[in-house]
Amino acid sequence: MREVSIGALPLDRFAAVLPEERVALLKTAADRAAHLLTGRTVWNVSSTERGGGVAEMLQTLVAYGQGAGVRTRWVVVTGDERFFTVTKRLHNLIHGFAGDRGALDASDEAHYREVLARNLDGWQERVRPGDLVLLHDPQTVGLAGALRTLGAQVIWRCHIGTDRADGHSSRGWAFLRPYFEDADAYVFSRREYAPAWLPASRVWVIPPSLDPFSAKNAPMADESVRGALHRAGIVERLDGDGNVAFVRRNGTSGLVRVHRELLVDEERPLPADAAVMLQVSRWDRLKDMAGVLTGFADHVDHFPDGVHLLLVGPDVRGVSDDPEGGQVLGECRQLRAALPPATRARVHLCCLPMDDVDENAHLVNALQRHASVVVQKSLMEGFGLTVTEAMWKERPVVASAVGGIVDQIEDGVSGVLLHDPADLDHFATLAADLFRDPGRQVRIGTAAHERVAREFLGDRHLIQYGELFAALVAGSRSASR
Ligand code: UDP
């Protein structure tokens, strides 16, 4: 395991976006947690420090934990290709999908255990009795027993799941089930995700949140949006160079670098006046980037002439725990190459560099703000932070009615839901209708922002964690809500 270095962030900054009474509640909860957790460390263990929703949230939740006066740390497990192939298989199964259809046999299980056991080398002395350990997702739950033996209280924080248990999900859960007894509590993003056989008294439901101050979500002037996207070689220059500066998480400033090859298989950036339909996702089959591409290309006549589709994901070399990325990007490249030239000119694939997480976040921020319509046509989604992020930026979002997306979007009010993600004609119609109605874009965007402000900001998330920690420290293994 290696530690991710994160500096503290003050909770006071929430005063800029929250009503006074919410700030007061947060501060009271923070003081209570700091008092209660004196002498203990809250550890987070995940499988990567960059790429995906878990890493995104930990970047700031860990920092706010420290800002609240709670010793909060984050470590990342290391594994080999086979380990991450097995855990990606589990990820797909628990979402109710077959994935690569590979086996999950005794040798896979032995390898999973071995890799995690190696991760504990040298960590036995660091975790103390009384510490709290949050193990994130299937990649880490196998550490529960060893950590419990060291005297820690262990919480399994599962960010994935399906509302319709089926043969695939049962197979995934069967692999993980032996490790569950070692956890003191289980946290899911939705109640429906908790397998029925888990003791309900130890199940907590805590939906994700975004940080309104991070480089990904902070307010951005138009000239910064233009500056960032032009400098990165994604959109042609509009008027003037724009502003290329951004603020890093540690408060220092950064400048967007000149990038020349972020658009895949293309020489030129998008036209400055293109109206953009955007999906930002990892290159993961369940995000269905290929389906978005086909849905747009096959129904391009539904859309006004100036609409372009932009599919954006991380540089596939940069996300260590996601072995599927290269294949999915390759499939999208093939689909794009086979399009008639006039349609191909309106479809763009973009890979963002992952070597500078703050620049990456700033570029995602600029892209989401530049887009007229954001889509998230996932086949399954644990929660869908990309939806929350676009809603916060007042973008109208068209997204599949799957998983946590239905908790975020009130259909027709704060976004538009696609009830059957496989219905590409309907998908294109819903998106194209939005492009034709700027007034509706604004109405939906405004309601979307308000919904995120009410439900999905960090204060609620931190307070819920505080309640969970309090229950565990109070000594009750079964004090859930
Ligand atoms: N993301 C990013 N760069 C990319 C693609 C995705 O920073 O090139 C971020 C995205 O902004 C969001 C997270 O990765 O914060 C994805 O979280 P989500 O919950 O949508 O899906 P997950 O990847 O966890 O399945």
Side-chain angles (χ1 to χ4, degrees):
M1 284 199 277
R2 62 174 186 279
E3 179 141 14
V4 185
S5 152
I6 299 283
L9 283 172
L11 295 177
D12 290 348
R13 64 203 319 225
F14 277 97
V17 291
L18 296 183
E20 254 172 56
E21 54 291 1
R22 263 172 76 175
V23 178
L25 281 176
L26 177 61
K27 286 197 165 156
T28 308
D31 291 346
R32 197 181 306 130
H35 177 70
L36 193 78
L37 298 171
T38 305
R40 300 171 195 257
T41 301
V42 175
W43 297 91
N44 286 274
V45 187
S46 76
S47 59
T48 181
E49 66 268 58
R50 62 191 65 181
V54 178
E56 177 69 24
M57 283 187 285
L58 288 178
Q59 297 283 352
T60 47
L61 290 177
V62 169
Y64 287 128
Q66 292 174 12
V70 176
R71 219 157 49 205
T72 312
R73 297 170 73 171
W74 177 13
V75 290
V76 169
V77 294
T78 49
D80 54 16
E81 199 184 327
R82 180 170 179 199
F83 175 81
F84 288 120
T85 302
V86 168
T87 56
K88 181 78 195 199
R89 201 169 286 154
L90 289 167
H91 174 96
N92 283 320
L93 288 170
I94 287 170
H95 271 315
F97 283 80
D100 67 359
R101 298 180 187 277
L104 276 179
D105 56 24
S107 75
D108 292 320
E109 197 183 328
H111 189 70
Y112 176 82
R113 283 176 193 262
E114 251 169 60
V115 167
L116 289 179
R118 277 204 295 277
N119 271 279
L120 282 167
D121 280 350
W123 279 86
Q124 283 89 339
E125 306 81 58
R126 305 184 81 162
V127 177
R128 302 262 180 77
D131 284 358
L132 296 162
V133 185
L134 286 147
L135 298 174
H136 294 267
D137 278 341
Q139 294 93 328
T140 64
V141 65
L143 292 166
L147 292 166
R148 202 145 186 271
T149 308
L150 296 172
Q153 285 185 295
V154 178
I155 300 149
W156 189 48
R157 200 322 175 195
C158 178
H159 297 266
I160 58 179
T162 170
D163 336 339
R164 318 161 264 112
D166 64 6
H168 297 309
S169 59
S170 309
R171 227 179 121 220
W173 288 126
F175 184 97
L176 295 172
R177 193 167 175 169
Y179 308 108
F180 280 24
E181 193 39 43
D182 296 316
D184 297 275
Y186 316 97
V187 179
F188 293 88
S189 299
R190 318 186 69 209
R191 186 160 300 279
E192 292 84 342
Y193 291 171
W197 40 262
L198 272 183
S201 59
R202 279 195 259 155
V203 172
W204 291 64
V205 178
I206 305 183
S209 64
L210 62 67
D211 181 49
F213 311 104
S214 66
K216 176 138 328 150
N217 300 309
M220 227 175 150
D222 287 351
E223 60 163 352
S224 298
V225 173
R226 283 202 312 271
L229 298 184
H230 170 57
R231 174 73 81 102
I234 301 172
V235 177
E236 266 175 3
R237 184 151 106 170
L238 199 55
D239 16 84
D241 283 344
N243 184 350
V244 295
F246 62 90
V247 181
R248 295 183 178 282
R249 270 163 307 144
N250 64 11
T252 63
S253 64
L255 295 179
V256 177
R257 295 167 294 177
V258 173
H259 295 286
R260 297 207 189 281
E261 292 171 351
L262 304 190
L263 289 173
V264 181
D265 304 329
E266 276 187 284
E267 305 283 310
R268 306 211 21 205
L270 271 74
D273 60 355
V276 171
M277 175 160 106
L278 172 78
Q279 177 161 306
V280 180
S281 289
R282 287 178 301 106
W283 301 100
D284 174 315
R285 280 214 173 72
L286 298 184
K287 309 292 180 184
D288 202 20
M289 292 285 228
V292 178
L293 192 157
T294 307
F296 178 75
D298 285 358
H299 303 91
V300 71
D301 297 345
H302 289 22
F303 291 86
D305 283 348
V307 175
H308 286 231
L309 171 66
L310 180 53
L311 298 174
V312 178
D315 176 351
V316 290
R317 292 159 305 180
V319 183
S320 55
D321 68 340
D322 194 357
E324 222 174 58
Q327 291 162 23
V328 172
L329 175 61
E331 288 156 20
C332 290
R333 289 177 68 182
Q334 278 180 8
L335 286 171
R336 181 176 179 276
L339 295 176
T343 308
R344 193 187 320 135
R346 292 170 61 183
V347 173
H348 314 273
L349 309 175
C350 175
C351 286
L352 296 180
M354 297 297 285
D355 57 338
D356 179 339
V357 281
D358 295 312
E359 185 200 50
N360 178 284
H362 183 70
L363 288 174
V364 172
N365 194 346
L367 284 160
Q368 288 169 331
R369 289 181 192 279
H370 183 67
S372 303
V373 173
V374 171
V375 300
Q376 189 62 54
K377 207 190 76 61
S378 302
L379 305 176
M380 188 54 210
E381 194 63 71
F383 181 71
L385 215 43
T386 51
V387 172
T388 337
E389 290 163 1
M391 290 171 74
W392 176 248
K393 290 160 192 133
E394 300 183 28
R395 296 298 96 184
V397 181
V398 178
S400 307
V402 296
I405 292 175
V406 299
D407 297 336
Q408 300 187 59
I409 290 180
E410 306 133 299
D411 194 15
V413 179
S414 46
V416 178
L417 290 175
L418 171 67
H419 288 280
D420 175 4
D423 187 344
L424 298 185
D425 187 6
H426 193 211
F427 165 64
T429 304
L430 292 176
D433 285 353
L434 267 174
F435 276 101
R436 289 217 174 69
D437 191 345
R440 190 158 166 254
Q441 289 180 24
V442 172
R443 279 194 304 282
I444 289 183
T446 305
H449 176 83
E450 283 165 8
R451 179 144 180 88
V452 175
R454 266 196 318 274
E455 305 277 344
F456 301 115
L457 296 185
D459 60 324
R460 188 265 306 145
H461 203 165
L462 290 161
I463 290 171
Q464 284 184 299
Y465 269 132
E467 289 166 354
L468 165 63
F469 298 158
L472 287 174
V473 169
S476 155
R477 215 182 171 206
S478 57
S480 82
R481 41 164 292 186

